[in-house]
Amino acid sequence: MATTLRRRQDGPGINWWLTALLMVLALTIAVPLYFAVVTALKTTDQLGGTGFGLPTDIRWANFADAWRLTDFPRTALNSAVITVGAVVLTLLTNSMVAYAIARNMHRRLFKILYYYFVSALFVPFPIIMLPVAKETAILHLDNRVGLVLLYVVYGLAFNIFIFTAYINSIPQALEEAAVIDGASTWQVFWRVIFPLMAPMNATVGILTCLWAWNDFLLPLVILSDPGSATLPLVQYVFQSQFQTNYPAAFASYLMAMAPLLIVYVFAQRWVISGVTRGAVK
Amino acid sequence: MKPGVRLANAFYVMVLPAFLLFFIFHTIPVIQGIYYSFTDSPGYGPANFVGLRNYIALFTDPRVLHAYWFTFLIAAVATVLVNIVSLAIAVGLNGRIKFKNGLRGIYFIPNVLAILVVGYIFNYLFSNSVPALATKIGIDSLSTSLLTKASTAWIAIVILAVWQSAAFNIIIYIAGLQTVPTEMYEASNLDGASAWRQFRSITFPMIAGFFTINMVLSLKGFLQIFDHIVALTGGGPGTDTESVALLIYKGGFQGGEYGYQSANSVIFFIVIVGFSIVQLRVLQRREVEV
């Protein structure tokens, strides 16, 4: 991939027309974000018109309002705990399950297990949302712990799919060498395989992170205590309660989007290559 | 590896917890959903077995039929548009351009944002900014909000869906385009092939597999559309912009139609699996032909 890129870039002539066209089209991404920023800085009486004008009188207090109204520290912490929990547990468990399945595909039991997990790719969430909401309530898992658990379980189908494909490309000779040196299956997994899976772990970690942080439907149907609401969920609640205070609402949108956006700006190439790797497998 | 007894034990321990959790939180709900679909359960208290009554009622319920029609409309239009838009942009981003990585970075941004939150921003744009802008430059048809009429609200929903979903599809198409060997272009350049001809005869056939994946995933994703609609119209006016997922949610949790919407879920599941299989078959056959 890197060589093709370099060759193309070094090739004769940069297509400036194409560059300009793509930059203009990129405005479709930039404009809504610009709009969110300027609106978040206005006073309510500066709203109206097309709303694209810069604020004449910047009102930073919108952020303070949004902070207070959405109980931001707590909400952001909920989102962070759920996201981190989902990512860490997914990486530790899904990779292990995939390893056990990938190395035992010749056994019927593991083969069945593989298709059992992967078949969940065809079951869209709306189909199980009613019973799952009921079940988590009965089991007292209608909270952050339950949500983490569900992200780990529902990610399994896709993650097993890409993890096993990756594990199959790792030569078994490495494991055999470790076994001869006296390593147990667990040691082989944690010391040899898990570190070798780093690129796929990055991919799965990124995708799980984006999913858990931005998801709205699962928290909506699972969480019963308003105190454990996540960022997207609280925007939904906020929307009906503070209909008229648009600047504060927009400040809160920005605050909800900011953490992941900031991480993305710094880890951009890494994120994109991670997602690409997931796609090519 | 030698399948010794101790070895196998460790492997069983590795998969057992996942199997149990998966069974409890995925398989049991599926089975329960099927069970409830044959009852008149309102979601609480006792329920009676009603046989196929829910299923029969579904096919004559105008609200349900409308939700399916509306969901198909959105999913079909958005799937086609997303794939055209993202393939075009991906080809551009794969060309000889300046700021290649920066531009790729920008085009991926929508994928790191929550649809619901972006949807609220678009909601304000559609209901306030666009009408104000249209009035200013004198386009009467856009001077009222797209979102207040069922006949136009779907357009706004499609725009948001395409805006958000193109980001991911672009990256997958770029990954596909990078698998095309540059030598093929060099050879066809010598033969004097036009850019469009190159795209049709080299690029597109070479990335047909990626096209299939994106079409299937897009359609499957858009058939489940939920967040977009909650943020833009909430299903309104009335129930005019309700998607199937939104209807299951509303009827099941708030409308006392737990059993009835469970039956709807089962039908919905069959529809989605059916669509995915047909689409895969058709697209893969085309892949072989070209």
Side-chain angles (χ1 to χ4, degrees):
Chain A
M1 189 171 95
T3 52
T4 0
L5 267 181
R6 209 169 302 126
R7 204 182 319 150
R8 290 252 186 113
Q9 268 166 356
D10 290 346
I14 282 193
N15 190 336
W16 286 102
W17 286 111
L18 187 60
T19 309
L21 179 69
L22 285 166
M23 287 169 87
V24 171
L25 285 175
L27 289 178
T28 55
I29 313 282
V31 164
L33 295 177
Y34 160 83
F35 183 82
V37 173
V38 294
T39 310
L41 293 170
K42 286 175 179 171
T43 55
T44 37
D45 50 302
Q46 289 179 64
L47 296 174
T50 61
F52 282 101
L54 288 166
T56 48
D57 181 20
I58 292 180
R59 187 169 187 275
W60 293 105
N62 292 329
F63 287 94
D65 292 347
W67 182 280
R68 198 167 29 79
L69 294 172
T70 62
D71 200 355
F72 187 78
R74 185 216 289 254
T75 317
L77 186 68
N78 286 339
S79 274
V81 166
I82 290 167
T83 305
V84 171
V87 170
V88 171
L89 264 180
T90 297
L91 291 181
L92 294 182
T93 61
N94 290 9
S95 58
M96 186 165 75
V97 179
Y99 172 65
I101 290 179
R103 286 294 184 253
N104 293 289
M105 274 298 255
H106 55 278
R107 293 163 194 257
R108 184 188 286 176
L109 183 69
F110 285 87
K111 195 168 208 151
I112 292 172
L113 211 51
Y114 175 78
Y115 287 107
Y116 172 60
F117 287 140
V118 169
S119 66
L121 280 174
F122 285 101
V123 184
F125 182 67
I127 287 144
I128 51 173
M129 75 180 163
L130 301 174
V132 163
K134 206 169 203 180
E135 195 179 327
T136 47
I138 292 168
L139 296 171
H140 300 293
L141 284 170
D142 48 350
N143 49 33
R144 285 162 293 192
V145 175
L147 211 48
V148 168
L149 216 54
L150 291 183
Y151 285 124
V152 174
V153 173
Y154 295 160
L156 206 55
F158 179 73
N159 296 340
I160 294 248
F161 189 64
I162 63 172
F163 269 139
T164 46
Y166 191 78
I167 293 167
N168 284 335
S169 70
I170 300 175
Q172 292 207 20
L174 289 171
E175 291 151 65
E176 277 153 18
V179 170
I180 289 166
D181 290 346
S184 70
T185 306
W186 292 105
Q187 285 169 326
V188 169
F189 177 71
W190 291 116
R191 302 240 177 104
V192 181
I193 299 297
F194 193 74
L196 282 174
M197 284 165 76
M200 263 304 134
N201 281 333
T203 299
V204 169
I206 290 162
L207 292 175
T208 308
C209 174
L210 290 174
W211 176 35
W213 184 273
N214 289 328
D215 189 34
F216 164 59
L217 185 50
L218 205 47
L220 177 69
V221 301
I222 299 300
L223 296 176
S224 60
D225 165 27
S228 51
T230 60
L231 285 167
L233 189 57
V234 93
Q235 307 307 317
Y236 174 67
V237 177
F238 187 90
Q239 195 66 10
S240 49
Q241 283 178 5
F242 308 97
Q243 199 60 267
T244 50
N245 193 353
Y246 279 111
F250 273 75
S252 128
Y253 303 154
L254 284 182
M255 281 156 55
M257 300 190 300
L260 225 51
L261 205 51
I262 292 168
V263 171
Y264 174 67
V265 168
F266 287 105
Q268 200 198 97
R269 293 183 76 164
W270 204 62
V271 171
I272 291 184
S273 67
V275 172
T276 313
R277 209 178 298 117
V280 180
K281 270 292 158 193
Chain B
M1 225 185 276
K2 277 181 230 119
V5 179
R6 235 183 60 227
L7 226 63
N9 273 345
F11 285 126
Y12 290 129
V13 175
M14 283 180 180
V15 293
L16 190 67
F19 169 76
L20 287 176
L21 285 174
F22 192 85
F23 186 78
I24 293 170
F25 292 111
H26 197 276
T27 309
I28 288 185
V30 170
I31 296 168
Q32 263 182 331
I34 295 171
Y35 166 75
Y36 279 113
S37 76
F38 297 108
T39 71
D40 62 358
S41 168
Y44 44 83
N48 301 309
F49 189 78
V50 296
L52 287 173
R53 204 185 302 158
N54 288 331
Y55 287 91
I56 295 162
L58 281 172
F59 286 96
T60 51
D61 183 339
R63 186 175 172 188
V64 171
L65 296 179
H66 179 79
Y68 274 91
W69 182 84
F70 188 75
T71 305
F72 290 148
L73 170 75
I74 299 277
V77 176
T79 300
V80 171
L81 279 181
V82 156
N83 280 283
I84 293 173
V85 167
S86 30
L87 185 53
I89 292 176
V91 169
L93 287 172
N94 202 42
R96 288 200 190 91
I97 54 163
K98 191 82 180 156
F99 317 120
K100 188 173 270 185
N101 289 319
L103 279 166
R104 282 181 186 183
I106 292 171
Y107 278 104
F108 190 70
I109 287 176
N111 199 54
V112 303
L113 307 176
I115 300 169
L116 185 84
V117 179
V118 172
Y120 283 136
I121 296 171
F122 272 68
N123 185 330
Y124 192 87
L125 284 170
F126 285 129
S127 44
N128 297 296
S129 303
V130 173
L133 201 67
T135 315
K136 226 178 206 170
I137 53 178
I139 307 170
D140 286 342
S141 55
L142 285 175
S143 60
T144 53
S145 167
L146 286 176
L147 300 174
T148 52
K149 284 191 307 258
S151 56
T152 52
W154 72 274
I155 299 171
I157 295 167
V158 166
I159 291 173
L160 173 62
V162 171
W163 189 87
Q164 210 274 337
S165 172
F168 190 77
N169 288 272
I170 287 170
I171 295 303
I172 298 187
Y173 277 130
I174 289 177
L177 290 168
Q178 285 173 344
T179 63
V180 184
T182 39
E183 289 75 17
M184 296 186 76
Y185 293 110
E186 283 154 19
S188 75
N189 276 337
L190 291 177
D191 294 341
S194 69
W196 173 242
R197 179 77 213 195
Q198 283 189 346
F199 176 79
R200 254 187 50 206
S201 306
I202 303 173
T203 313
F204 195 69
M206 291 293 288
I207 61 161
F210 291 85
F211 179 72
T212 306
I213 290 173
N214 273 355
M215 288 292 280
V216 174
L217 289 183
S218 304
L219 187 74
K220 188 178 156 238
F222 291 135
L223 283 174
Q224 297 174 56
I225 195 159
F226 185 88
D227 303 24
H228 309 70
I229 296 177
V230 169
L232 289 181
T233 65
T239 58
D240 283 341
T241 59
E242 262 177 7
S243 66
V244 180
L246 186 59
L247 177 61
I248 293 174
Y249 171 75
K250 278 199 202 162
F253 286 113
Q254 299 157 359
E257 300 177 339
Y258 195 88
Y260 185 58
Q261 293 303 338
S262 295
N264 193 7
S265 307
V266 174
I267 298 285
F268 190 43
F269 169 63
I270 295 168
V271 166
I272 288 187
V273 171
F275 262 86
S276 302
I277 291 173
V278 169
Q279 209 187 4
L280 265 176
R281 283 260 171 92
V282 171
L283 289 171
Q284 275 175 346
R285 194 178 310 145
R286 198 194 45 82
E287 257 175 55
V288 176
E289 278 169 12
V290 286

